[in-house]
Amino acid sequence: MERLDKLLASQGMLSRREVKELITKGRVTIDGTVEKHPERKVTGEEQIVVAGELLRVQRTLTLHKPQGVVSAARDARDKTVLELVPPEYRRKELFPAGRLDKDTTGLMILTDDGALAHEILAPKKHVPKRYRVTIDIPMTEEMVRRFAEGIELKDGRCRPAELTIESEDTGVVTLREGRYHQIKRMFGCCGAVVTGLHRLSMGALRLDDALLPGECRPLSEEEISLLRQQHLPE
Ligand code: URA
């Protein structure tokens, strides 16, 4: 449940001030009844009419993906990320914005907003995705150089990627595209096997430390705008 004014403002069409004004002037109805209290708690499943127009509430969730769960919308064999969503946040149209491998953990975005998904995934938008990676051999400056140059994969040359070595076998990789098994294949070209992969951020949005693996929560309007940013989190 969240406040009516917060939910309306999170839809991106109206500012907080405009929302408050419409509510207090009696221009918002919930399931047919005028609601004049901006603090009224709603789920988003109600029929909400704002200034005569039925609102279709859009939802964007941040999820801490655990291992062993697939990021497809449906799967005959494995549990999917959508099955981790508690009933109060479920929507028929919710889908994962981008894929992570079954054994990859970390930040996933689930949304019913197709335009938002396009903005964060389209390679042209250059939204950075940052991962912590562990490999089976020591990381080398040669790998850093090859990542920066753009590694040649079977399906073409990768865009330059940033690799920062953190310890002997662990580093942080920043990609601005998302191909199938991309990081695993890039390290494969350097003779290494990825033994651990965790997404830390998308755009300027980090994975919320308070979310345990398997947990999710709705994003605020400010957090959704961080997702679209081309710069990395502070
Ligand atoms: N690169 C991979 O190889 N796997 C992922 O899950 C994400 C990026």
Side-chain angles (χ1 to χ4, degrees):
M1 301 282 271
E2 63 188 303
R3 286 174 59 116
L4 174 63
D5 56 350
K6 258 186 104 177
L7 178 82
L8 296 188
S10 75
Q11 302 307 298
M13 267 96 65
L14 298 164
S15 69
R16 284 265 171 85
R17 209 167 50 81
E18 290 166 330
V19 164
K20 232 179 202 133
E21 206 174 298
L22 284 169
I23 297 173
T24 50
K25 285 192 172 154
R27 306 213 48 212
V28 175
T29 62
I30 300 181
D31 295 330
T33 307
V34 172
E35 179 55 70
K36 289 193 169 180
H37 297 99
E39 69 281 5
R40 157 85 185 263
K41 290 280 177 35
V42 288
T43 61
E45 293 294 342
E46 300 84 355
Q47 202 181 64
I48 303 177
V49 176
V50 182
E53 274 196 43
L54 181 65
L55 182 78
R56 201 182 83 74
V57 177
Q58 287 191 315
R59 270 281 176 221
T60 299
L61 305 175
T62 172
L63 168 82
H64 185 162
K65 181 189 173 298
Q67 276 200 342
V69 173
V70 294
S71 54
R74 255 182 304 274
D75 195 274
R77 222 182 24 189
D78 291 307
K79 189 169 180 165
T80 71
V81 284
L82 292 182
E83 291 173 57
L84 297 170
V85 177
E88 66 267 32
Y89 301 143
R90 285 206 185 139
R91 290 282 184 287
K92 258 206 305 297
E93 301 83 2
L94 214 55
F95 65 94
R99 295 285 172 100
L100 289 179
D101 296 335
K102 188 173 165 183
D103 56 354
T104 301
T105 57
L107 175 62
M108 277 220 71
I109 299 300
L110 308 178
T111 187
D112 59 0
D113 182 345
L116 173 69
H118 176 74
E119 276 184 64
I120 56 183
L121 299 176
K124 268 200 213 131
K125 306 278 181 182
H126 306 292
V127 170
K129 284 99 190 170
R130 185 164 257 199
Y131 299 82
R132 172 157 294 113
V133 189
T134 309
I135 56 173
D136 64 335
I137 55 173
M139 295 232 174
T140 63
E141 289 303 326
E142 169 69 6
M143 292 175 187
V144 174
R145 193 187 56 73
R146 290 192 62 193
F147 272 53
E149 270 174 4
I151 287 186
E152 190 71 46
L153 297 178
K154 268 208 216 108
D155 51 352
R157 201 179 189 82
C158 296
R159 285 168 187 265
E162 195 188 299
L163 168 61
T164 312
I165 300 178
E166 285 202 320
S167 70
E168 196 184 18
D169 61 354
T170 304
V172 171
V173 174
T174 307
L175 297 183
R176 289 172 195 274
E177 60 186 338
R179 301 195 211 173
Y180 181 68
H181 290 334
Q182 185 167 346
I183 293 181
K184 291 175 182 165
R185 291 194 292 144
M186 287 165 86
F187 276 104
C189 287
C190 303
V193 174
V194 170
T195 55
L197 190 54
H198 178 80
R199 184 150 63 195
L200 300 163
S201 60
M202 292 173 84
L205 183 80
R206 272 182 217 281
L207 176 63
D208 180 351
D209 288 341
L211 287 179
L212 297 173
E215 287 184 345
C216 67
R217 67 161 175 83
L219 286 177
S220 68
E221 54 188 313
E222 291 84 7
E223 290 173 314
I224 292 175
S225 69
L226 289 178
L227 259 183
R228 298 187 166 101
Q229 308 279 316
Q230 289 178 11
H231 62 82
L232 291 161
E234 321 235 301

